[in-house]
Amino acid sequence: PPTNLSVNVNATESVWEVKQTDVKGELFVRIALAEQLSASRASAAASGWGNDRVVTFRAENRTLHAWILKWDDERNATEFENAVGTYLDRRGVERNGVWTDGTLQIDLRRVDTTTVTLFVGNSSVEDASVAVNGSNISVRPSSTP
């Protein structure tokens, strides 16, 4: 069964509007990673998926996605994090922990032993934040679009 995951959005003092919240699932992770990685590496990186949420924010003509992934254990979270790092290295250019792929910015963050977050958007992702308190996760978009 999916791991317990509760995501709270803190965008009340922001210009961002929450447009969508969704669950992607293990199969989506596997398919997305297979775009740049071998099928076996993508499959290994997706196994151990516990749960996830994608929160989509919009402001003006900007979009920011916060994808929070909870893994069954630390080993699976590390395997996913490493695979995503390789994936991003193949797609874009990394500078100070943020990858740029065309107009997209992607920030990969290890939040705790079993939680990994990706901030993806056509705006600054660096000052977006995520905090974990047990199975409760709070996400806040960047202060400006």
Side-chain angles (χ1 to χ4, degrees):
T3 302
N4 186 25
L5 176 63
S6 173
V7 175
N8 302 308
V9 177
N10 182 1
T12 55
E13 298 176 18
S14 171
V15 297
W16 295 96
E17 181 181 350
V18 176
K19 285 301 203 181
Q20 183 176 346
T21 303
D22 198 7
V23 175
K24 292 298 184 184
E26 182 179 344
L27 180 60
F28 180 85
V29 173
R30 184 178 303 195
I31 292 168
L33 290 175
E35 179 186 314
Q36 294 291 327
L37 306 177
S38 69
S40 62
R41 178 125 191 243
S43 177
S47 67
W49 172 92
N51 209 335
D52 73 77
R53 294 290 183 287
V54 176
V55 180
T56 301
F57 300 94
R58 292 221 173 88
E60 301 165 7
N61 62 345
R62 302 288 187 185
T63 302
L64 176 67
H65 305 279
W67 189 15
I68 302 100
L69 298 109
K70 192 81 168 167
W71 297 91
D72 289 339
D73 54 40
E74 184 174 357
R75 181 185 59 77
N76 285 300
T78 299
E79 187 165 17
F80 172 76
E81 181 182 31
N82 291 338
V84 170
T86 300
Y87 173 95
L88 292 173
D89 285 341
R90 293 179 181 174
R91 283 200 55 169
V93 176
E94 186 268 336
R95 193 173 122 211
N96 298 324
V98 175
W99 284 262
T100 301
D101 179 9
T103 60
L104 281 181
Q105 287 190 348
I106 305 153
D107 190 353
L108 171 65
R109 298 185 197 173
R110 182 68 171 264
V111 182
D112 67 11
T113 59
T114 60
T115 309
V116 179
T117 298
L118 285 156
F119 288 103
V120 180
N122 61 353
S123 64
S124 176
V125 296
E126 294 171 336
D127 65 341
S129 68
V130 61
V132 177
N133 183 5
S135 62
N136 295 314
I137 298 174
S138 296
V139 63
R140 183 185 59 79
S142 52
S143 56
T144 58

